[in-house]
Amino acid sequence: MRKVLIKGNDAIVRGALLGGATHFFGYPITPASEIAQGAANLFTRSGRTFLQAESETSAINMIYGAASTGARVMTASSGPGVALMLEGLSYLAGAELPSVIVDVQRAGPGLGNIWPEQSDYNMCCKGGGHGSFHNIVLAPSSGQEMTDFAYRAFDIADAYRMTVIILTDAYVGQMMEPVGFPSAVRHGARKSWAVYGDESSRQNLISSIVMNQTGMAELNIMLQEKYARAARDLTDWDEIETEDAEFLLIAFGITSRVASTAVSHLRENGLKVGLLRPKTLFPFPSERIAELAGQVNLMAVAELNNGMMAQDVELAVRGGCDVRKYNWYGGMVPSADELASRVREDFNG
Amino acid sequence: MVKHAKPKGFYDTFERKSSQGGPESETTHYCPGCGHGTVHKLIAEALEDFGIKDRTVFLSPVGCSVFAYYYFDTGNIQCSHGRAPAVGTGVIRSLDDAVVISYQGDGDLAGIGTAEIVHAANRGENMAVFFVNNAIYGMTGGQLAPTTLLGQETTTTPLGRLADREGGPIHMSEMLDALDGPAFIERTSLSNAAGVMKTRKAVRKALTNQVERRGFSFVEILSPCPVGWKLTPIQSRIWIKDNMETIFQVKRFRDREEGSRGTGRMPLMGDEELKELLGSDHGEEARKGENLETECRVKIAGFGGQGVMSAGVLLANTAIGEGLEATWLPSYGPEMRGGTANASVVISDEPVGSPVVNRPTTLLAMNGPSLDSLEDSVITGGLIVVNSSLINRKVRRDDVKVVYAPVSDMAAEAGFLKGANVVMLSLYLLEKGVPGIQTLKTVIPKSIKKKELVEVNLKLVKAAEEFHAS
Ligand SMILES: Cc1ncc(C[n+]2csc(CCOP(=O)(O)OP(=O)(O)O)c2C)c(N)n1
Ligand code: SF4
């Protein structure tokens, strides 16, 4: 495969176009702006649609409109903007509309700053808006995965009629790495439920309102079944040196990159440490983590927030294994040495 | 209540309504004397008369007309509160031939959705907006609306609306008339039969404009809400005449008859053309490269404008050119505006773990502040290359290798001061050996976008080679 050196944010735009995206509605925010800028260039030149909205609220509703017509549609933002989109995410979930949202995480709360955090984990992985809903959440940790996940996201969104969030961070977005591109361009198919402004779709209705209790309950139950199906079919993760691990690190995104370096240092020093890196955060690889809880003596979750993923790990292991929390905030990303020394301390008890 | 002579733009029976537990399937859910029923009927009639039911996408808002989709025999989308103009923007950007109708109340359009309507209007989106102004929130029980009249009692202004507290009624037609975007703006009233006839005309005009692609068309309709106003249907119509029409002038504000609005889209590229545009078949063929003794973690730092970012990109590309793995991470954001910038490059013969460089193996210091702030971070046994044109102090540490080179002067001598970064990078490669300077020479013509600058950059590489050899 031929590879080009490219920013993670640019890799997203290319993967999305190759994955069949036809519409991008966005609003600028650091550190995600290159995605909107790249889309403004490439979506426009290729005869697709790019439009800068007046706000993230409007952007997500433009997505709602275009998704209603069966289009493969996306946006990209960062925490403050994604927070504004939560109303829209809830409506998308209720109306079962497919869409793709990229969150290039920055530090919070409030305006925070523009350096990486992973503190949108709960907002994105737990639904985030009104009602009992979920989004599928993919967590790329490299430029290559930025392209690959964006490429696949539209197929997943269409298959499940769900929003797929690509939850990345400022460093993976800003970093340049060699990236190879898929060779086939994908396209969305006509959808039986969408509104096309033609005779055969005239009877179709896109809506999230069900004005009776049993009907609304049925919709909710159907959604939960869909999420269970996604958990069976989509859950994905990577493991490094877990076969004989006595200590398991768990991390995603930029933190998993640091962790993989830390693990190789620790292994060189003879410590049996492994790494599990979720590639999907919803659905979460709970079963595999529970299995490993029976093997290792200790787990530690390294993340740039106050222990949000650690809560999911604790739920998965159900007290079967001690779970340590390594947390950083404000855009501070640990060095591999710093992380390794935290592990060494806990390893040696 | 719409009961007799139902227009064909409606469904024959309102199945969606009865399926939600409504008792009758031939009548609407609106209260007796409500203006929504009248406006619905005028729209339905026009849809049938113009033969555009198949093409029409009807957006239902949040408000009493939230269930408009019970009635209109068209494609239907139910929207969140106030956002229909944004939803419609998404629809029309996808369906070039659709007739998009956004039907909204005054809370929806003039309250929570003010931004959406203003910007859709300003863009001149191809959509017909029917704005039912009943000066109150009907759905939620008669609360204050942005269009509520001064002195008007509502459930949240029990003592009457007061300008000093709530401000006065908002005039949406006048506001939108201040924009260039809209093609058609008219305010009508349902106070009497003549007003209904005028409204009928305006509705048909707005829809004709969609068929003709004339652009954004806005009809504000002063409309009765007997239940919210606590009046009878007949009293309500008189109240509109006597109170609303004096505040909200019934008038055609704009009718731009000429011209049509295009999609603003370029021709659609096929798969091969798209791949060419993305350059997705370009780049280096991945291959297994040389082995490195240790991973190189390089920090290139200097003033913004000294090309530290692009030197980093060149370095990463040179590494990839030799089949090595590389990452490049910039400093970014406001700190860039402050003057100093740095790029972190990690080069390895295995996939790179952390791209973050806290303890560089090499520091390429283009200016004094960079050396001051980063000297201590370099690992023992590491390398510092100092731009001695701009840095007149020595490195204080004695546990690192130091190369002093007047890279800015060398670049100036070659007549291209901006190329100091390339001299610096070349010296690094010459010092290290891997990746090699020969690879840089093949990378420069491929990476430098301004072709006229390739030659001078290659000259700078040569100058660095001569300096290194001496
Ligand atoms: C985000 C949100 N806030 C509040 C509501 C509650 N709500 C439903 S309808 C409505 C007011 C609608 O008034 P208007 O647009 O004037 O329409 P009318 O009912 O008078 O036709 C409100 C506030 C909601 N559904 N969503
Ligand atoms: S409350 Fe008012 S606006 Fe709503 S249906 Fe009744 S009369 Fe119409």
Side-chain angles (χ1 to χ4, degrees):
Chain A
M1 191 191 275
R2 291 186 168 277
K3 291 192 172 191
V4 289
L5 186 72
I6 187 177
K7 262 195 186 191
N9 281 347
D10 292 324
I12 287 256
V13 178
R14 285 168 163 74
L17 278 168
L18 293 168
T22 57
H23 289 72
F24 189 111
F25 300 101
Y27 191 84
I29 183 169
T30 308
S33 294
E34 291 88 357
I35 304 181
Q37 289 160 201
N41 181 26
L42 297 171
F43 276 63
T44 306
R45 281 180 200 280
S46 60
R48 277 89 177 150
T49 296
F50 169 86
L51 184 65
Q52 181 167 324
E54 57 271 22
S55 69
E56 289 85 352
T57 304
S58 291
I60 196 73
N61 281 284
M62 290 174 188
I63 284 177
Y64 184 92
S68 296
T69 69
R72 290 193 154 189
V73 57
M74 73 179 294
T75 189
S77 188
S78 187
V82 176
L84 267 185
M85 294 182 188
L86 293 181
E87 176 198 42
L89 288 182
S90 168
Y91 277 76
L92 288 166
E96 290 195 276
L97 291 175
S99 71
V100 175
I101 315 266
V102 184
D103 180 354
V104 187
Q105 295 173 96
R106 58 190 257 172
L111 209 45
N113 69 34
I114 56 173
W115 292 285
E117 262 192 10
Q118 298 175 316
S119 49
D120 294 346
Y121 182 95
N122 281 351
M123 175 166 77
C124 293
C125 298
K126 308 292 175 183
H130 164 60
S132 302
F133 77 93
H134 278 289
N135 314 298
I136 288 166
V137 183
L138 310 178
S141 70
S142 65
Q144 188 62 56
E145 283 187 345
M146 292 288 252
T147 276
D148 293 347
F149 289 8
Y151 180 71
R152 267 188 73 211
F154 295 89
D155 282 353
I156 298 174
D158 279 356
Y160 290 85
R161 293 184 63 179
M162 280 176 72
T163 293
V164 174
I165 297 181
I166 299 178
L167 185 64
T168 180
D169 58 71
Y171 276 176
V172 177
Q174 294 295 325
M175 177 171 53
M176 275 185 152
E177 286 188 289
V179 173
F181 298 100
S183 54
V185 181
R186 303 195 56 80
H187 297 278
R190 188 175 165 104
K191 291 150 181 162
S192 60
W193 48 264
V195 170
Y196 290 97
D198 62 13
E199 191 187 352
S200 62
S201 68
R202 196 175 89 197
Q203 74 287 349
N204 286 347
L205 165 67
I206 305 297
S207 169
S208 63
I209 184 170
V210 186
M211 210 52 191
N212 67 74
Q213 292 101 320
T214 49
M216 196 68 222
E218 279 161 19
L219 171 66
N220 268 285
I221 290 165
M222 186 270 284
L223 290 179
Q224 308 317 310
E225 285 167 0
K226 185 162 81 169
Y227 304 150
R229 189 155 45 84
R232 277 196 305 277
D233 301 343
L234 293 178
T235 311
D236 198 7
W237 68 93
D238 225 14
E239 292 181 28
I240 297 176
E241 309 264 17
T242 48
E243 307 77 38
D244 62 343
E246 294 165 10
F247 186 113
L248 184 70
L249 262 175
I250 303 175
F252 71 99
I254 188 63
T255 323
S256 71
R257 296 286 293 261
V258 178
S260 74
T261 303
V263 166
S264 61
H265 291 347
L266 290 160
R267 282 276 167 177
E268 280 162 23
N269 296 341
L271 298 192
K272 291 189 173 164
V273 178
L275 170 67
L276 185 144
R277 170 175 80 88
K279 292 202 240 177
T280 56
L281 295 172
F282 184 89
F284 192 68
S286 307
E287 280 180 27
R288 178 59 184 150
I289 289 172
E291 223 172 73
L292 285 165
Q295 172 192 319
V296 303
N297 302 325
L298 196 57
M299 291 187 181
V301 183
E303 50 189 332
L304 310 181
N305 60 40
N306 61 352
M308 296 180 184
M309 183 167 70
Q311 287 188 340
D312 281 337
V313 171
E314 279 172 336
L315 264 180
V317 306
R318 292 167 188 276
C321 176
D322 202 4
V323 178
R324 299 289 158 87
K325 297 175 185 171
Y326 301 161
N327 306 120
W328 292 267
Y329 308 94
M332 308 286 292
V333 177
S335 67
D337 289 342
E338 184 185 345
L339 178 56
S341 69
R342 290 286 296 270
V343 173
R344 217 174 274 120
E345 265 169 46
D346 282 337
F347 196 101
N348 299 326
Chain B
M1 226 190 307
V2 180
K3 216 164 197 176
H4 304 292
K6 197 159 41 168
K8 288 272 194 301
F10 285 139
Y11 293 116
D12 291 338
T13 54
F14 300 145
E15 304 291 339
R16 283 189 179 133
K17 176 167 171 260
S18 46
S19 73
Q20 298 293 318
E24 300 164 275
S25 60
E26 296 261 326
T27 57
T28 70
H29 67 287
Y30 297 111
C31 311
C34 174
H36 281 304
T38 312
V39 181
H40 276 30
K41 199 169 155 186
L42 297 176
I43 296 171
E45 220 178 63
L47 292 176
E48 173 65 17
D49 292 351
F50 297 170
I52 54 174
K53 286 195 299 185
D54 285 344
R55 286 173 65 181
T56 297
V57 178
F58 193 103
L59 309 178
S60 305
V62 171
C64 280
S65 47
V66 64
F67 299 123
Y69 63 82
Y70 284 178
Y71 312 118
F72 289 96
D73 188 2
T74 61
N76 276 290
I77 302 175
Q78 202 292 312
C79 307
S80 59
H81 199 14
R83 318 297 179 209
V87 174
T89 299
V91 171
I92 199 67
R93 300 294 172 134
S94 172
L95 306 178
D96 291 347
D97 294 325
V99 169
V100 176
I101 297 176
S102 179
Y103 186 104
Q104 302 180 258
D106 44 58
D108 196 80
L109 181 141
I112 195 168
T114 324
E116 284 76 7
I117 190 66
V118 167
H119 289 277
N122 192 50
R123 287 188 300 266
E125 300 289 348
N126 266 321
M127 64 175 78
V129 179
F130 300 119
F131 169 39
V132 176
N133 177 357
N134 57 16
I136 206 155
Y137 282 20
M139 176 80 155
T140 38
Q143 295 90 355
L144 172 81
T147 48
T148 294
L149 306 186
L150 285 175
Q152 189 183 334
E153 289 173 20
T154 72
T155 51
T156 51
T157 52
L159 309 180
R161 181 173 191 165
L162 190 64
D164 284 350
R165 191 174 48 220
E166 287 96 11
I170 195 166
H171 292 74
M172 288 308 297
S173 292
E174 285 83 350
M175 267 179 66
L176 298 185
D177 194 33
L179 306 174
D180 286 337
F184 179 78
I185 302 173
E186 180 166 344
R187 184 185 286 123
T188 66
S189 164
L190 300 182
S191 61
N192 55 33
V196 173
M197 283 317 288
K198 269 196 157 173
T199 304
R200 178 173 184 270
K201 271 200 179 141
V203 164
R204 294 169 93 86
K205 177 83 195 190
L207 289 173
T208 305
N209 281 354
Q210 299 320 302
V211 175
E212 313 268 331
R213 310 325 262 171
R214 288 231 177 84
F216 188 86
S217 301
F218 185 84
V219 184
E220 173 173 350
I221 302 152
L222 305 181
S223 171
C225 171
V227 168
W229 298 349
K230 301 190 173 60
L231 299 172
T232 66
I234 291 171
Q235 288 170 329
S236 296
R237 290 181 191 260
I238 296 169
W239 195 82
I240 295 179
K241 185 105 216 145
D242 292 350
N243 297 288
M244 289 187 82
E245 287 184 20
T246 56
I247 303 296
F248 298 111
Q249 200 186 359
V250 172
K251 159 179 172 184
R252 180 169 289 187
F253 292 85
R254 174 152 346 154
D255 186 6
R256 193 185 286 156
E257 301 222 271
E258 77 295 347
S260 76
R261 188 188 154 79
T263 64
R265 234 185 5 254
M266 296 176 77
L268 186 69
M269 280 187 180
D271 293 359
E272 290 313 309
E273 239 186 317
L274 175 68
K275 280 160 63 175
E276 188 53 40
L277 174 73
L278 302 185
S280 54
D281 289 337
H282 300 204
E284 291 297 317
E285 198 61 56
R287 60 186 173 91
K288 188 75 196 102
E290 310 213 15
N291 285 344
L292 274 180
E293 261 172 53
T294 52
E295 195 173 77
C296 301
R297 307 181 74 82
V298 183
K299 201 118 189 172
I300 311 171
F303 294 125
Q306 277 186 313
V308 301
M309 297 299 170
S310 52
V313 173
L314 269 179
L315 174 55
N317 266 322
T318 305
I320 294 164
E322 291 193 7
L324 293 162
E325 302 278 349
T327 60
W328 170 96
L329 186 67
S331 59
Y332 59 90
E335 65 175 276
M336 299 272 298
R337 276 156 220 145
T340 64
N342 71 73
S344 300
V345 177
V346 180
I347 301 172
S348 177
D349 51 16
E350 287 167 28
V352 177
S354 173
V356 181
V357 176
N358 297 333
R359 310 272 345 253
T361 56
T362 296
L363 169 64
L364 306 179
M366 295 290 289
N367 68 357
S370 306
L371 182 64
D372 294 345
S373 64
L374 294 168
E375 175 176 343
D376 290 343
S377 66
V378 177
I379 62 162
T380 301
L383 169 69
I384 302 182
V385 185
V386 175
N387 177 8
S388 58
S389 307
L390 299 183
I391 306 172
N392 38 32
R393 77 166 174 87
K394 295 286 167 202
V395 170
R396 295 191 189 95
R397 291 175 54 178
D398 54 13
D399 61 343
V400 294
K401 175 161 189 199
V402 185
V403 175
Y404 297 95
V407 299
S408 296
D409 293 337
M410 289 163 72
E413 226 161 86
F416 188 55
L417 181 59
K418 279 194 155 171
N421 59 344
V422 171
V423 181
M424 179 61 101
L425 172 61
S426 302
L427 289 172
Y428 169 76
L429 298 177
L430 289 161
E431 205 52 51
K432 287 296 207 185
V434 184
I437 194 85
Q438 298 309 327
T439 311
L440 175 65
K441 291 179 191 168
T442 64
V443 164
I444 283 177
K446 284 186 270 182
S447 313
I448 291 184
K449 288 199 188 88
K450 290 191 187 144
K451 290 301 153 211
E452 66 276 16
L453 293 181
V454 168
E455 203 177 314
V456 67
N457 275 291
L458 291 174
K459 202 166 123 192
L460 292 172
V461 175
K462 198 144 198 310
E465 286 178 312
E466 281 160 14
F467 178 88
H468 183 73
S470 60

